[in-house]
Amino acid sequence: MFKKSILLFTLILAGCANPGDDKVEALNTLDFQASPKTSATANGNPVELESLHNINQKAIASLTSEIKATHVNGLRSDDVLDNRDGIDNVFQALTRLEEFNELNNIYLKDQNKNGLVQIGNALKPLTEKNS
């Protein structure tokens, strides 16, 4: 009887566990190094830079809205302070996306094509999972 109770308890706990979101985990573990500014002449034309910037912005906006829709919408204030659901990881991932957005804007302003390409390459695996 004791073994059956333990087995039942284990199954109940496993069923209640909140599986981690792959995208949230990937964003939180993403290793990204900021690209130093290089000479503007080697970085391409403004139309190309604007295109790279827009592609990155769309990817960031898509990931942000997906994570918010999945994890944040409908959240109560009590849930934010309760770490059992791992909501802090979700907010950490959203913060990373905000950082990418700011870097994306800085790289456009600095005409840093390498930085824009790096952001696109870092987010590409996450956006491809979305398709």
Side-chain angles (χ1 to χ4, degrees):
M1 179 70 177
F2 182 71
K3 289 181 182 180
K4 288 181 183 179
S5 298
I6 298 240
L7 179 62
L8 181 62
F9 182 70
T10 304
L11 291 174
I12 289 172
L13 283 179
C16 294
N18 188 10
D21 186 342
D22 291 340
K23 290 184 183 181
V24 169
E25 289 178 26
L27 278 166
N28 288 337
T29 59
L30 187 64
D31 185 28
F32 182 81
Q33 300 295 322
S35 173
K37 184 178 176 182
T38 59
S39 66
T41 57
N43 280 329
N45 63 32
V47 174
E48 182 182 18
L49 295 173
E50 188 70 36
S51 174
L52 290 169
H53 178 264
N54 288 337
I55 290 169
N56 292 344
Q57 267 190 324
K58 287 178 185 174
I60 292 167
S62 172
L63 287 168
T64 301
S65 64
E66 181 183 345
I67 290 172
K68 283 183 178 180
T70 305
H71 299 285
V72 178
N73 292 351
L75 209 71
R76 298 183 334 245
S77 59
D78 295 341
D79 296 333
V80 173
L81 300 175
D82 186 6
N83 193 22
R84 286 181 288 179
D85 291 333
I87 197 67
D88 56 334
N89 291 333
V90 172
F91 287 121
Q92 182 180 353
L94 290 171
T95 301
R96 291 289 308 265
L97 286 170
E98 288 178 22
E99 291 170 352
F100 275 120
N101 192 42
E102 287 301 315
L103 267 178
N104 193 43
N105 292 334
I106 290 169
Y107 288 160
L108 177 65
K109 180 183 171 209
D110 291 346
Q111 298 182 351
N112 187 342
K113 179 181 175 183
N114 294 335
L116 292 170
V117 169
Q118 282 182 341
I119 289 174
N121 290 340
L123 296 177
K124 192 173 193 174
L126 298 171
T127 56
E128 286 177 349
K129 289 180 184 177
N130 198 17
S131 318

